[in-house]
Amino acid sequence: MDEVLKSYMAYRTKINAYNYIDYLVSWDSETEAPKECFKERSLYLGVLSEERYKIQVSDEFNAIVDELSKRNDLDADLAYEVSKMKEDIEKVKKIPMDEYVAYQVLLAESQNIWAQAKEADDFDMFAPTLEKIIEFNKKLCKYWETDELKGYDVLLNEYEKNMTTKEYDVFFNCLKEKLVPFVKIVSSKKLEYSNALKGKFDIDKQKEFVKYLMDVLCFDKNRGLVKESVHPFTSGYGTNDVRFTVHYYEDLLISSIFSAIHELGHSIYEQQGNPKYNDTFLSGGASMAMHESQSRFFENIIGRSKEFWSIHYNKLKDIFKEELVDVSLDDFYLHINEVALQFIRTEADELTYPLHIMLRYDLEKMMIDGDLKVNELPDKWNELTKQYLGLDVPNYSLGILQDVHWSGGSIGYFPTYALGSAYASQIFAHMQKDFDVLNNLETTQKINEWLKEKIHIYSSSMESKDIFENAVGRFDPNYYIDYLIEKYSKVYNI
Amino acid sequence: MDEVLKSYMAYRTKINAYNYIDYLVSWDSETEAPKECFKERSLYLGVLSEERYKIQVSDEFNAIVDELSKRNDLDADLAYEVSKMKEDIEKVKKIPMDEYVAYQVLLAESQNIWAQAKEADDFDMFAPTLEKIIEFNKKLCKYWETDELKGYDVLLNEYEKNMTTKEYDVFFNCLKEKLVPFVKIVSSKKLEYSNALKGKFDIDKQKEFVKYLMDVLCFDKNRGLVKESVHPFTSGYGTNDVRFTVHYYEDLLISSIFSAIHELGHSIYEQQGNPKYNDTFLSGGASMAMHESQSRFFENIIGRSKEFWSIHYNKLKDIFKEELVDVSLDDFYLHINEVALQFIRTEADELTYPLHIMLRYDLEKMMIDGDLKVNELPDKWNELTKQYLGLDVPNYSLGILQDVHWSGGSIGYFPTYALGSAYASQIFAHMQKDFDVLNNLETTQKINEWLKEKIHIYSSSMESKDIFENAVGRFDPNYYIDYLIEKYSKVYNI
């Protein structure tokens, strides 16, 4: 290997080392760190992120990346990786240092301000901070704009390459046209089942069932682990260290079950990546939407299917003998697929979930590309909630202040959630062509293998769009709409 | 603040950041990391430790430390800190880089080799590695020798400043003379109690009692946490992040109890340090022996006292109603203080424990200063075991291969364990002068306050010896011997 390549590899490992530390410290912060430790912790994380930043923008490393990006003797993976790194460096350098630092300082406090505003149900407390965040994001759009990408498209492209308002408009208009009327029909009906899930569900027993689900979904415990945290999440570094969390509520049995299946979807994606990409910049999932497609595929399409529970409900009944004695498989199936219009996105059912996202997409577009002012946001939020969900928002906490994302600087992220769900339906339709998916659910091994071969094995060595199209063709939102309407027509006898 | 000081502070925070990461990653490795993650982890830890090393020996930082070490306008803490750092840098620089790297490579494998040799009960498997470790330590003695310190004294001084063979010889000779004959008398007698602890002890219940102990010893849960690991340990960074572990055995109730009290002793020491030393180089305990004095004070002097269990045994009986129904307080007290000669140091009782240390001290002295060859070690080990404990060692695993320390490069560490126990007795004697220690055990608050004021609050801002002497006078091993003989004469009716 020549000297330039050797230097590049050494830099790559060094940058990965800092990223790895970030991953591990965040994991600790989210799961067990004692609350008084954050003073020193923030200080040290600041120092280390500055070190990493210096390396990434150092003249020496930039010269190496430049030189490699001009060479044509690199293999495809390395060429792609170098081009991504070059793009990253250029982007970072386009932000004036003082603005970048000021924004980091703002973000260090903004989530806390948001949390307090939400707690107090007071939008005015958060508005000035949100205004600054939007301002900075608008500047980002300017710094990063290209001939093809301007305004909100710049931000959308950050979270999902090749997805701009043009594509999202088609997608969301399709939802508006076909899903909103269908939701109106469904929500006028009521599910009839004999016995609902109620009472207390011992948390140790819930944990036992989560362990069972880990085996059903073929999670490799030698290369990962499960723990608890307030908000469930998955994080991983390479294929050998993949961790997820669950939150348990004594009176909400299905919360832990479906958040576990959801996070297991993310985890299987990470564990089934190609190990040859460990310690490169091409490990991990290809994009946010692709990641979400995997989690929602398992959570909704597999996890909320009658076929899945025909096999696994017995185990659940075994564990909760007394609690579930009167709850039949049919009862359970209807319960986990009940549609209930509600204000909070994270509590929404599979059918109405995308409408919550559509609302946020509309607002973000108006915030960044239009002239919607921050003080006009709450009214607009409420107006769209009425339009899409038919609900009257009673306060800020159940409306504009419900999500953490904007306070963390994430504008353009929400649409990937809906896109992920839509991807999942298209993947499902194609998987069905290869084998009878819902009749292979003792474990998900066959499904995992299919996903590995078609998607997971590419890690992030190609653009998400290319991996997706190679696997299941061009994105078509009708798979999603058809899936939802077909499924919920059956559930609701429509 | 002038520029040099500012730069020094910035470097200090940076070095602390790397140390902090080391602390946190080790914690993860010991408690929950999935076993396949170590390939990438070792790589990244190597990179980060190289970064830290480069900073510490960088010309710029060394020039700053040099300049500060010549100034006389620094406050006492800073002057002491700078002098320690200067000493550290000089020591590091005295080791040729290639030897240092080769040794790190050796150590990266040596624990594994030792573990395999122990498993196979085959000393020859470990001997070549041990020989190299000893060779390197002998070189260290040469590199670091001074007019006052030569040979083994150099190593001893690394683990406990101001303690050399001169002081340790006095200490261990005292043990040999007075303790060895006493142990012979005790071990000829048998304790009479009606009902022994036996059967199974549910691990969740053991955990409940450990939580109770955390409250009794006033552990601050906002600044630390407890978890499980194979070998119990405590680690902390500053006063706001202090963590310890316990290992639970279903059939050994007292193992978790006393290892928890032991680790809580370490933890209280860390938590009660002076927070002004956080993010300096003066946080944490003053020395290994001082740390061990705190853990053993709580474990043995408090935790194995009749008075402690007069108050807290009811709680234990409450938790283990059926298991302890026939075990009286007296039975329990005798059980936890029973002397049983055995081969394994970590399982030894309070009375015979120091004899195990004495044996290792003798051997290390002969290894480094004498001409004892590696292949002669096992016989010498067995000979001394017979002499001090009266036992015939049946194999390597129960003899020379039992401890991990040498395989980790730690030669000169063992003596601090016995010294810590001896310190604890002297501390106890002086605490007694100030208040009736054993009649204040509802919680250990009063004890903690005393220790904080006399010892903990100094963190590592002074030499251990100075803190100790200011608190309880010059070290005198007779406090220890007297304490042991008095206690065990009572327990055994001698």
Side-chain angles (χ1 to χ4, degrees), chain B residues 4-145:
Chain B
V4 181
L5 265 180
K6 261 192 215 159
S7 305
Y8 176 78
M9 302 297 182
Y11 267 108
R12 184 169 73 178
T13 294
K14 204 181 274 189
I15 293 170
N16 270 318
Y18 287 99
N19 291 340
Y20 179 72
I21 286 313
D22 243 16
Y23 150 68
L24 213 58
V25 177
S26 305
W27 171 257
D28 185 82
S29 296
E30 298 290 338
T31 59
E32 69 180 27
K35 67 180 182 186
E36 296 294 329
C37 81
F38 287 92
K39 196 181 143 209
E40 281 89 18
R41 172 164 298 197
S42 319
L43 179 68
Y44 297 145
L45 284 181
V47 167
L48 294 168
S49 88
E50 200 183 318
E51 291 292 295
R52 177 181 46 190
Y53 175 83
K54 279 187 197 157
I55 294 168
Q56 210 192 347
V57 301
S58 69
D59 291 341
E60 187 179 299
F61 180 57
N62 294 354
I64 291 169
V65 170
D66 257 356
E67 185 179 330
L68 288 180
S69 72
K70 286 172 199 149
R71 276 165 56 167
N72 49 20
D73 62 336
L74 306 183
D75 69 44
D77 283 340
L78 194 56
Y80 179 68
E81 180 182 289
V82 167
S83 76
K84 284 213 303 183
M85 180 46 78
K86 194 169 154 61
E87 213 178 290
D88 268 8
I89 293 171
E90 279 163 9
K91 270 192 202 153
V92 169
K93 287 186 156 180
K94 277 180 185 160
I95 311 174
M97 189 56 166
D98 56 335
E99 285 180 19
Y100 177 80
V101 171
Y103 187 57
Q104 295 307 317
V105 171
L106 178 68
L107 289 187
E109 302 173 312
S110 54
Q111 288 199 14
N112 195 28
I113 295 170
W114 161 77
Q116 287 174 9
K118 186 181 167 189
E119 176 79 24
D121 194 35
D122 181 353
F123 181 70
D124 291 344
M125 276 172 70
F126 180 51
T129 304
L130 181 56
E131 187 143 15
K132 284 182 207 156
I133 289 172
I134 295 170
E135 266 330 293
F136 182 82
N137 275 275
K138 282 184 175 173
K139 277 190 196 166
L140 268 191
C141 297
K142 281 283 168 210
Y143 295 141
W144 292 350
E145 72 174 17

Side-chain angles (χ1 to χ4, degrees), chain B residues 299-341:
Chain B
E299 178 193 348
N300 291 329
I301 298 178
I302 302 302
R304 292 187 204 267
S305 70
K306 186 75 154 279
E307 291 83 352
F308 184 83
W309 292 103
S310 309
I311 297 172
H312 303 293
Y313 190 54
N314 280 340
K315 175 71 184 180
L316 192 65
K317 283 193 87 150
D318 255 11
I319 295 178
F320 293 103
K321 278 193 190 65
E322 287 163 26
E323 297 85 344
L324 296 180
V325 66
D326 295 326
V327 182
S328 70
L329 173 61
D330 281 337
D331 288 341
F332 185 76
Y333 174 70
L334 293 179
H335 179 85
I336 64 176
N337 285 296
E338 188 161 25
V339 173
L341 290 172

